[in-house]
Amino acid sequence: MGGVNKPLYGVGSSKKDLMALPMPVRRLFGHALDFAQRGDQHGTAKPLKGFGGAGVLEILEDDAGGTYRAVYTVRFAQAVFVLHCFQKKSKSGIATPQQDMDVIRARLKVAELLAKELQHGKAGD
């Protein structure tokens, strides 16, 4: 895609949640999201299981405070949407907790509506 920067939108509280993360984590997540905006995939990003393909991706980062995740979608041509940013609290297993999966699914539906508005030139900042 080279050179075309898609806009970046936070869905729900994802931008506020991202800004509350430790600075080193925010820096990595911001860098990975910049890649996504340019049509690339950062080395730390991988498809999130349960969403059928690479349209929904997650970035994981370990910090002294724990493990953090950011989930975003590149499924829509109009923009990159950050769906959820959170600290993984579960000490057992690597699966994303059901509550977080529910938030991601709900926000993906919101992102789909926002993408349609952007496509038709109706979304305001």
Side-chain angles (χ1 to χ4, degrees):
M1 286 180 92
V4 177
N5 270 2
K6 288 184 181 182
L8 182 69
Y9 291 96
V11 180
S13 64
S14 61
K15 182 177 180 181
K16 178 177 70 77
D17 298 338
L18 176 65
M19 298 311 287
L21 299 178
M23 182 54 80
V25 175
R26 278 192 356 226
R27 196 172 290 127
L28 174 83
F29 287 177
H31 189 59
L33 290 167
D34 182 59
F35 268 61
Q37 286 181 271
R38 289 184 279 124
D40 294 326
Q41 184 174 320
H42 191 269
T44 59
K46 64 179 186 177
L48 181 61
K49 287 181 173 65
F51 290 91
V56 177
L57 297 109
E58 71 174 336
I59 316 158
L60 280 84
E61 177 67 348
D62 290 319
D63 184 69
T67 299
Y68 299 88
R69 293 182 178 191
V71 178
Y72 66 96
T73 184
V74 294
R75 192 176 279 181
F76 310 107
Q78 294 79 9
V80 174
F81 294 95
V82 180
L83 302 174
H84 195 27
C85 296
F86 61 102
Q87 180 176 5
K88 184 174 181 295
K89 295 195 170 51
S90 171
K91 300 296 181 206
S92 61
I94 58 170
T96 303
Q98 187 60 47
Q99 181 179 348
D100 291 304
M101 292 297 281
D102 292 344
V103 167
I104 293 163
R105 281 193 180 87
R107 290 183 180 174
L108 184 59
K109 290 177 184 168
V110 172
E112 187 172 2
L113 294 173
L114 289 170
K116 286 178 183 170
E117 288 180 5
L118 288 168
Q119 185 176 8
H120 300 342
K122 295 177 187 168
D125 282 85

